[in-house]
Amino acid sequence: MTTGFDSSALAEKTDQQLLETIADPVSYVPQAVQAATEELHRRNVAPGTIAEYAAIGQAKTAQVPNSALKGVSGWLLLFCLGLTVFSPLLTLFSLVAAYSDAPFHRFPGLLTVTVIDTLLSVGLMAFSVYAGVGLWRIRPGAVQTAKRYLLCFLGYQVIAAVLPFTAGLPSSANEAITAEVVKNVVRGVFYVAIWYSYLNGSKRVKATYES
């Protein structure tokens, strides 16, 4: 890209050279393109012709990926770490706590519920790692895989909210865990909404996986 320009030199350029300048904004600094546009208007070049070449320049700009945004860093890196490290660790800690604190001898149904939740959690954890590694290695379809993981995570939150109430626990225990269940569901919905929106709207995601 040209790093500077001499505005006085524009007067020496032909109309066609000025038009080619605004049609190739990737090769010139924005000031040069703007000055060339103003010079063309000063020469009374047809506005339609100027607009035509300017549209060519805009199309070229849109096709050039933003190298400063391309790559797994920033919020995208945080999401990858969450999928491959933080989320699996939290899952393991939760499973250990579930088996160490639960009164299975008093409520046999609780063991069945815990086993079901374990199977779902381990499967979701494996999917989380798979989706995160795909994003990290910039694999084809990685973004869609991550979105599917988020939807599965949301589905798991719904199932996990219902499971405790099928364990045959006393009504007093069900009342005690209701607030925790609601908190987990709300937290899960926010998690999915935030990261799904990020994957849809992030310039870094588009520059990294769609270019």
Side-chain angles (χ1 to χ4, degrees), residues 20-174:
E20 291 174 356
T21 297
I22 66 174
D24 189 20
V26 177
S27 301
Y28 297 90
V29 294
Q31 295 91 331
V33 176
Q34 179 62 30
T37 304
E38 293 173 355
E39 177 66 16
L40 287 167
H41 283 295
R42 191 185 66 79
R43 297 182 185 182
N44 295 319
V45 175
T49 301
I50 298 174
E52 179 182 351
Y53 278 81
I56 295 173
Q58 292 174 355
K60 287 183 178 180
T61 301
Q63 293 173 357
V64 176
N66 191 333
S67 59
L69 290 176
K70 190 171 184 178
V72 180
S73 60
W75 290 107
L76 180 58
L77 176 59
L78 178 62
F79 185 48
C80 289
L81 287 172
L83 293 176
T84 58
V85 180
F86 303 141
S87 182
L89 285 177
L90 287 174
T91 298
L92 292 176
F93 288 145
S94 297
L95 292 177
V96 170
Y99 280 94
S100 61
D101 298 337
F104 297 130
H105 62 285
R106 294 176 54 193
F107 305 104
L110 185 59
L111 177 60
T112 302
V113 167
T114 304
V115 170
I116 294 173
D117 182 69
T118 298
L119 294 175
L120 293 174
S121 297
V122 171
L124 190 65
M125 180 177 66
F127 194 5
S128 174
V129 173
Y130 175 76
V133 170
L135 288 173
W136 220 316
R137 295 186 176 180
I138 315 180
R139 291 173 177 168
V143 174
Q144 291 302 319
T145 299
K147 288 180 179 180
R148 284 193 288 270
Y149 162 75
L150 290 173
L151 295 178
C152 289
F153 177 84
L154 187 61
Y156 165 76
Q157 293 298 315
V158 174
I159 296 173
V162 175
L163 279 178
F165 301 102
T166 65
L169 299 175
S171 58
S172 57
N174 288 335

